[in-house]
Amino acid sequence: MVCLGNICRSPIAEGILTKYLPKSLFKVDSAGISSLHHGEKPDLRSIDITKKNKIDISSQKSRQFNVKDFENFDHIYVMDNTNLKDILSLSTNPKNYSKVKLLIKNKDVPDPYYGGIKEFKDCYDLIDKACVKIANKLLKND
Ligand code: 4NP
């Protein structure tokens, strides 16, 4: 799960998808395009909205996406079209390109960083809906 700062959207996505997939079969992680918030916990508003949904993401730490992630993961979901462009610019290998997908087809998950509680709730709801679909797809192995 990838966003810009790895403190708002992708930590929520990591927390939700982790809940929907069996730990014995899947490794779920998140990262940021930037290293701006390296080592920081998720934004408190992301921690709060996920906590309201009984998911604890408070021990996550922001890290920057690394080109090795292309090898280490089978699927790379990005939150918006800018993330998509930025990730694709890190590789020239078509095999890597095929792993990168928008979390929601043809749609951005808006960055809630400069928003308020409502933006974080909307963000959570969008990501949750997308993760239900992704988990079902991955569990069916297609
Ligand atoms: P995220 O949100 O990409 O969902 O983690 C952001 C967090 C921080 C900044 C931008 C977006 N920032 O500019 O610091």
Side-chain angles (χ1 to χ4, degrees):
M1 294 299 188
V2 175
C3 63
L4 175 61
N6 192 213
I7 55 165
C8 296
R9 293 165 292 177
S10 58
I12 295 176
E14 178 188 333
I16 294 175
L17 195 62
T18 298
K19 186 179 87 169
Y20 289 149
L21 293 173
K23 276 193 187 33
S24 55
L25 296 176
F26 293 91
K27 175 178 166 57
V28 182
D29 196 7
S30 66
I33 301 285
S34 84
S35 60
L36 269 173
H37 297 275
H38 178 81
E40 291 177 19
K41 279 177 186 291
D43 188 287
L44 280 178
R45 297 163 297 179
S46 286
I47 292 177
D48 283 350
I49 191 68
T50 45
K51 201 169 174 185
K52 282 201 174 80
N53 291 277
K54 302 189 168 56
I55 300 172
D56 180 9
I57 61 166
S58 63
S59 57
Q60 289 185 30
K61 293 261 188 310
S62 174
R63 71 170 180 95
Q64 187 173 29
F65 184 85
N66 186 293
V67 284
K68 287 205 185 84
D69 291 321
F70 283 123
E71 288 157 41
N72 294 341
F73 293 90
D74 297 322
H75 305 275
I76 297 167
Y77 294 99
V78 298
M79 299 297 134
D80 64 36
N81 275 282
T82 306
N83 305 154
L84 183 65
K85 179 173 68 62
D86 290 341
I87 284 277
L88 294 181
S89 75
L90 299 176
S91 176
T92 51
N93 182 341
K95 189 166 168 257
N96 291 341
Y97 290 168
S98 67
K99 293 185 175 184
V100 186
K101 287 146 258 181
L102 276 172
L103 184 80
I104 305 172
K105 216 173 170 183
N106 301 324
K107 200 178 148 94
D108 287 350
V109 177
D111 185 353
Y113 187 59
Y114 295 105
I117 304 298
K118 182 188 182 304
E119 282 71 23
F120 275 80
K121 185 180 181 315
D122 292 349
C123 175
Y124 183 94
D125 292 344
L126 271 180
I127 293 173
D128 187 42
K129 228 171 122 186
C131 285
V132 169
K133 282 190 192 160
I134 289 168
N136 284 334
K137 205 170 137 71
L138 294 176
L139 288 167
K140 277 192 270 169
N141 202 21
D142 65 23

